[in-house]
Amino acid sequence: MHKCLRCGKDFEKMNEGMFGGCPECGSKLFLYVREGEEEHATELVRRLEKKTETAGKLPLEGAALEGVEPLEEAGGGGELSSEGDKIESLKIVSPGVYELNLDTLLGRRGIIMRLKEDGSYAIHLPSLFEKKEKARRNRHTP
Amino acid sequence: MVRRRRTSGILAWLLEALFFKKRSVKIGIYGPPNAGKTTLTNRIIHTFADEEEDVGTASEIPHETRRAVRRGGILIDLKQNLKQFQRTNFNSNPQPLSDPTRNGDPTRNGDPSTNPSTKSGRKGRAKLKLDVVDTPGLATKIDFHDFLAYGLREEEAKQRAKEATEGVIEAIKWLDDIDGVILLMDATQDPYTQTNVVIIGNMEARGIPVVIAANKIDLSSAAPQKIKKAFPQHFVIPISALTGENMPEFYAAMVRRFR
């Protein structure tokens, strides 16, 4: 049985409709659960949720990887949004402190950096163009 | 231009088909920081390519590897290398060695009937030509403060954090060019981490074959059975990349899964 890690819906078997994500909530994270281990799976989901919550409030001062400057000096803090709401793949918490959203990065969605809590983002265009270029090349390759 | 590419593609395919030249598979070694990825990569190279060559330096400081390193031209020949396993893999803990090419794989989780070698009976084909890619450790948070405890100066620690972050992105980019993944986990740590679950979920979605190596079984606190229980749908092989314990079984699983 496959259990959606976001909405908790159970699926007896993987089907084609699930390749794009959970039909209920769109999440791409599933947990494989063997018969009789449902309780164990529920405990795992609970622990993962708890870990996400305890990521906590984080200050943001604004810094950047080489070649990308912060939009302006940042300040303040804020609650981390839930995984589903995040569009950024990388968050620069302060100089030398980075948070990575592996789900977004692994999903080949290009690199979007969050610089401030008030909604300032930096978009790494080459990573987005690279994706389109690859798709174009694949179309032309026999 | 498209036509030329197509023609060359067909030509390459014909040449391959005519001369039975089997291409190398690219195997990425992924996992969280300090799981032992570089130690494992070095061991594979020492066993099958060059005893003197290292792709990187293993270190107790997390994120020692910050660039992906590829080593090509490795041929795993289980039968040929049996003697070599005995020489290189059990230096610190000599044990009698069983034939890793025999049928049946006790390390596979789940239904043993799904074992490809048991199904096809092709036990003689125990070779795998591969390139290995040692990748930077995947993490959801990289904080320079963690490096200060190892004696790094603040500037060095910040630089390391920046490079480690770039390394994670590079490691993920490599996945587009990878045929199989060895996911290395530290058997002394809790396997239920966001990083492990996200990587496995993504590999399954991409259809990339995965072998999980539960590393560091030489340590008394290692609990590889926890990893087996957490990811029952995958091959999980307990190993010690440092001492070489159980490596023949691991290589046999690699050949079966990635061939």
Side-chain angles (χ1 to χ4, degrees):
Chain A
M1 182 175 71
H2 301 269
K3 195 178 188 70
C4 173
L5 275 176
R6 191 190 292 166
C7 68
K9 190 170 168 56
D10 298 329
F11 300 91
E12 274 305 312
K13 281 185 177 174
M14 272 279 181
N15 57 53
E16 271 188 37
M18 289 162 70
F19 291 161
C22 172
E24 295 293 316
C25 67
S27 166
K28 288 181 179 172
L29 287 179
F30 296 93
L31 178 71
Y32 179 77
V33 185
R34 276 200 294 209
E35 231 174 279
E37 289 194 349
E38 289 83 357
E39 240 177 73
H40 175 66
T42 314
E43 168 68 10
L44 168 62
V45 173
R46 198 181 57 75
R47 282 167 66 180
L48 284 172
E49 279 171 353
K50 202 176 164 190
K51 277 194 178 177
T52 311
E53 279 167 19
T54 52
K57 286 187 173 183
L58 295 159
L60 192 72
E61 290 162 22
L65 292 175
E66 208 163 14
V68 183
E69 294 300 326
L71 298 181
E72 57 186 85
E73 280 304 304
E79 198 74 43
L80 284 176
S81 55
S82 70
E83 281 293 317
D85 300 333
K86 281 185 182 174
I87 62 155
E88 74 270 22
S89 43
L90 174 63
K91 183 176 169 184
I92 300 162
V93 180
S94 63
V97 183
Y98 306 94
E99 278 184 10
L100 295 119
N101 185 347
L102 290 181
D103 197 21
T104 313
L105 284 167
L106 284 161
R108 303 163 169 157
R109 280 172 242 163
I111 299 168
I112 298 173
M113 281 181 243
R114 185 170 183 169
L115 304 173
K116 287 182 69 180
E117 290 298 334
D118 67 359
S120 301
Y121 295 92
I123 299 165
H124 188 244
L125 288 177
S127 65
L128 293 167
F129 283 121
E130 193 182 354
K131 189 176 146 191
K132 284 197 169 179
E133 177 64 19
K134 266 190 185 167
R136 194 181 64 78
R137 262 185 282 158
N138 288 342
R139 271 204 305 276
H140 289 296
T141 309
Chain B
M1 189 167 169
V2 172
R3 178 173 289 180
R4 191 167 54 192
R5 194 179 295 138
R6 187 171 294 151
T7 313
S8 68
I10 293 168
L11 191 67
W13 179 82
L14 270 172
L15 285 169
E16 226 175 0
L18 283 171
F19 296 104
F20 302 102
K21 188 184 169 189
K22 207 171 176 183
R23 72 179 187 96
S24 281
V25 288
K26 275 194 221 76
I27 306 299
I29 300 182
Y30 285 80
N34 267 7
K37 295 178 291 300
T38 303
T39 307
L40 177 64
T41 311
N42 286 341
R43 178 164 286 279
I44 292 172
I45 293 167
H46 294 171
T47 309
F48 298 105
D50 185 345
E51 284 186 30
E52 303 297 321
E53 187 183 330
D54 285 342
V55 287
T57 314
S59 158
E60 58 166 3
I61 312 175
H63 298 286
E64 182 67 24
T65 305
R66 299 186 291 284
R67 296 299 307 266
V69 185
R70 176 178 168 182
R71 170 60 159 91
I74 297 170
L75 178 69
I76 295 184
D77 185 340
L78 294 177
K79 290 190 172 174
Q80 278 281 319
N81 291 99
L82 271 175
K83 282 181 184 170
Q84 206 170 352
F85 288 142
Q86 282 170 321
R87 198 172 67 241
T88 60
N89 289 336
F90 295 95
N91 290 336
S92 58
N93 187 19
Q95 289 176 18
L97 184 69
S98 57
D99 179 0
T101 61
R102 71 185 173 197
N103 277 348
D105 180 7
T107 53
R108 171 69 195 261
N109 282 319
D111 184 2
S113 66
T114 54
N115 181 344
S117 69
T118 325
K119 255 184 176 176
S120 61
R122 294 178 303 168
K123 63 177 176 180
R125 292 176 60 191
K127 288 183 185 174
L128 177 71
K129 196 176 169 193
L130 75 156
D131 296 358
V132 284
V133 184
D134 180 27
T135 64
L138 299 182
T140 51
K141 187 173 182 183
I142 297 169
D143 188 336
F144 79 95
H145 293 99
D146 297 340
F147 307 135
L148 297 177
Y150 294 92
L152 268 67
R153 285 183 288 113
E154 185 168 327
E155 279 313 303
E156 282 176 331
K158 282 182 179 171
Q159 179 66 19
R160 193 183 186 91
K162 193 189 87 174
E163 289 172 4
T165 306
E166 289 170 333
V168 172
I169 293 166
E170 190 186 345
I172 289 170
K173 278 187 177 175
W174 263 96
L175 276 175
D176 290 338
D177 202 25
I178 285 285
D179 302 306
V181 163
I182 295 168
L183 181 54
L184 203 61
M185 295 183 194
D186 185 338
T188 66
Q189 304 289 320
D190 183 2
Y192 296 115
T193 62
Q194 201 180 352
T195 305
N196 288 341
V197 172
V198 167
I199 298 171
I200 287 195
N202 191 268
M203 295 306 102
E204 286 172 355
R206 289 179 189 230
I208 298 178
V210 178
V211 171
I212 299 174
N215 194 23
K216 306 193 185 182
I217 57 167
D218 53 303
L219 301 177
S220 57
S221 55
Q225 67 277 9
K226 270 192 191 170
I227 299 176
K228 286 185 178 187
K229 204 175 167 188
F231 306 106
Q233 72 277 36
H234 290 285
F235 282 88
V236 177
I237 320 291
I239 61 161
S240 168
L242 188 68
T243 65
E245 204 173 329
N246 218 29
M247 290 307 289
E249 283 73 8
F250 174 69
Y251 296 137
M254 273 177 72
V255 172
R256 289 197 195 104
R257 193 77 180 102
F258 299 137
R259 194 167 56 198

